[in-house]
């Protein structure tokens, strides 16, 4: 069973809450300015989130940033957007003021994406 227009609207609404994430041609991606130690810390968190949600992101270190890409046949899903929200929350925690300045977000913005709260 395919996605409906309503499903797509829910995805787009959720994606709007994720500043900096780009949806393009069935891919969901984000480049995060991090140093090497911050990248390592975020990569560990990403492994946990990916295993929990059953997604397989491509995580790469570039010049001074971490690039995260989720791509799947048929486009990204609500699970992918949930994963992105968890990554964004971890990024804000790890990068601190830099992340808040870069994303213009407060630390509590993505609480709605966490389980059990």
């Amino acid at each position: 069973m395919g996605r409906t227009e309503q499903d797509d609207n829910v995805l787009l609404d959720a994606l709007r809450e994720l500043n900096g994430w780009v949806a393009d041609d069935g891919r969901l991606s984000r480049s995060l300015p991090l140093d090497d130690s911050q990248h390592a810390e975020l990569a560990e968190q990403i492994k946990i989130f990916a295993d929990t949600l059953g997604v397989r992101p491509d995580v790469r270190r570039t010049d001074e940033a971490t690039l995260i890409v989720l791509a799947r046949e048929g486009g990204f899903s609500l699970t992918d957007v949930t994963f992105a929200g968890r990554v964004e929350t971890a990024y804000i925690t790890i990068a601190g003021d830099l992340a808040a300045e870069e994303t213009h977000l407060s630390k509590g913005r993505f609480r709605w994406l966490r389980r059990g709260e």
Side-chain angles (χ1 to χ4, degrees):
M1 183 173 173
R3 284 197 322 226
T4 66
E5 184 177 339
Q6 183 178 6
D7 294 337
D8 288 341
N9 288 337
V10 168
L11 281 173
L12 291 173
D13 286 346
L15 186 59
R16 283 187 195 105
E17 294 295 317
L18 298 172
N19 294 345
W21 286 84
V22 176
D24 183 37
D25 196 27
R27 296 168 21 128
L28 188 58
S29 63
R30 174 84 155 102
S31 180
L32 301 168
L34 296 169
D35 64 29
D36 289 337
S37 66
Q38 291 169 327
H39 167 81
E41 188 175 348
L42 183 63
E44 287 301 314
Q45 290 294 311
I46 286 173
K47 286 178 190 176
I48 294 167
F49 303 148
D51 287 345
T52 300
L53 294 169
V55 298
R56 298 292 166 245
D58 179 18
V59 180
R60 296 185 197 162
R61 180 81 180 136
T62 61
D63 292 332
E64 293 183 3
T66 297
L67 177 62
I68 304 154
V69 178
L70 282 169
R72 70 171 75 209
E73 195 171 314
F76 63 92
S77 69
L78 191 53
T79 300
D80 298 330
V81 175
T82 300
F83 168 82
R86 289 183 179 189
V87 170
E88 197 69 23
T89 298
Y91 168 61
I92 290 167
T93 300
I94 291 166
D97 291 339
L98 172 66
E101 183 179 305
E102 193 262 339
T103 60
H104 307 291
L105 297 172
S106 67
K107 290 190 179 220
R109 173 92 185 247
F110 294 99
R111 292 190 69 217
W112 63 274
L113 292 171
R114 295 183 191 159
R115 285 189 180 164
E117 290 188 359

